[in-house]
Amino acid sequence: MRRVVPLVALLVLAGCGSAPAPPAGAGGAVTVFAAASLTESFTRIGKDFEAANPGVKVTFNFGASSALAQQLNQGAPADVFASAAPANMKQVTDTKTVTETPVTFARNRLQIAVPKGNPAKVTGLADFGRAELKIALCAEQVPCGAGAKKVLQAAKVTGQPDTLEQDVKAVLTKVRLGEVDAALVYRTDVRSAGAEVDGITFAEADQAINDYPLAALATAPNASGAKAFLDYVRSDKGRAVLAEAGFDGP
C-alpha cells in the first residue's frame, strides 16, 4: 500500500534541515554610509556584527561626510549614516532624511602626520606656515578640514597647503607615500597607518574635537537591521573596537 505522508509532517521535516533564522531585528542586508575615518573600526565592527547575527550582510560606503550627506539627500538607499561631524549629519536631518535624533557614539581629534622618520623635522603647528614644506589638508567642507582650519587659527598659523583632499584617507595616503612633509589627520588614522607614518600631538587639538553622530535613515530599507546595527555599535563590544582604534568615548 502506498503510504501518504501528511503535508504538515513534510513541512516539519523540511524545516529541520534549514539554517537557523537570524535573531529578530537583525536579518537581511544592512547598508551603512560612514565617514572615511571609520573605515578600519567599522569594517571590524561589521564583521563582528555579522558573526553575532547569522544571515546578516553589512555593506559599507566610506567617504567624506559631506559627500555622503549629499548622496543621502539625493536619495541614495541606505539604512545607517555615521558622520564625522554634527554639521554633516544636520544636512541630512534638515531634509527629514533622518527623522530620529542622532546619537553621538564616539569622538576624535586631530594629529600631525609625517612620513616615517620625520625627514622635514616637523615639531608642531608652527611648521605648517613654512613655505618650503609640502603640506596636505582636508578641504574645508570635510570635517577634518574644518577642524584643521580651527586648530591653525587657534595656533595663529596661516596654513599654506599644497593640496586639499576630499577625505582624510586621501590626506593620509599623501603622507604614507612621502608626497608631503606633514598633514593634519585624525589620530585614529595615524594609528591605522602603523609603522608607515609618525604622529605628533599638539595642544590645540583639544579645541577641535569632533563628535561622531550616528542615526538610522527614515527611508531605511531594513529598519530593524539598522536599529540592531546602531545598538551593536553602542554596545560594550562596539565601544571596545572604537577605543582600540583611538576614538574617545561619547
Side-chain angles (χ1 to χ4, degrees):
M1 178 183 293
R2 185 178 177 184
R3 184 181 180 187
V4 179
V5 180
L7 179 59
V8 174
L10 287 174
L11 293 174
V12 171
L13 290 172
C16 291
S18 62
V30 179
T31 301
V32 179
F33 278 37
S37 51
L38 291 164
T39 300
E40 291 80 14
S41 54
F42 262 36
T43 297
R44 179 176 166 189
I45 286 174
K47 291 179 179 178
D48 292 344
F49 179 70
E50 289 175 345
N53 298 279
V56 175
K57 176 62 179 177
V58 183
T59 301
F60 291 104
N61 179 20
F62 294 109
S65 296
S66 55
L68 296 177
Q70 184 177 16
Q71 292 171 29
L72 291 170
N73 284 340
Q74 291 174 348
D79 298 296
V80 175
F81 180 35
S83 173
N88 300 116
M89 179 62 78
K90 188 174 185 298
Q91 291 177 253
V92 179
T93 58
D94 283 350
T95 62
K96 307 301 182 182
T97 304
V98 167
T99 56
E100 65 178 26
T101 302
V103 177
T104 298
F105 68 97
R107 290 188 168 91
N108 210 351
R109 65 188 69 206
L110 295 173
Q111 195 170 33
I112 297 170
V114 297
K116 190 65 180 177
N118 193 9
K121 307 303 179 187
V122 173
T123 60
L125 285 183
D127 292 305
F128 281 69
R130 291 166 54 188
E132 71 273 18
L133 294 189
K134 292 182 179 180
I135 303 295
L137 298 175
C138 289
E140 283 189 25
Q141 69 268 26
V142 182
C144 64
K149 179 180 180 180
K150 187 178 293 186
V151 297
L152 288 169
Q153 288 177 340
K156 295 180 172 56
V157 174
T158 301
Q160 301 186 44
D162 295 273
T163 180
L164 294 171
E165 303 297 328
Q166 293 305 306
D167 67 60
V168 71
K169 292 301 183 185
V171 175
L172 185 64
T173 296
K174 294 286 185 181
V175 181
R176 296 170 84 160
L177 295 177
E179 295 179 1
V180 296
D181 298 304
L184 283 173
V185 300
Y186 296 116
R187 66 178 183 181
T188 53
D189 296 297
V190 173
R191 184 172 296 190
S192 73
E196 295 184 79
V197 306
D198 289 334
I200 301 168
T201 59
F202 56 93
E204 292 83 359
D206 290 341
Q207 299 184 40
I209 295 176
N210 280 46
D211 287 349
Y212 280 57
L214 180 73
L217 279 295
T219 56
N222 186 353
S224 59
K227 182 182 184 305
F229 183 81
L230 263 63
D231 289 344
Y232 192 90
V233 170
R234 299 170 60 200
S235 70
D236 290 343
K237 290 182 178 179
R239 289 177 178 177
V241 172
L242 292 165
E244 185 177 343
F247 287 95
D248 290 327

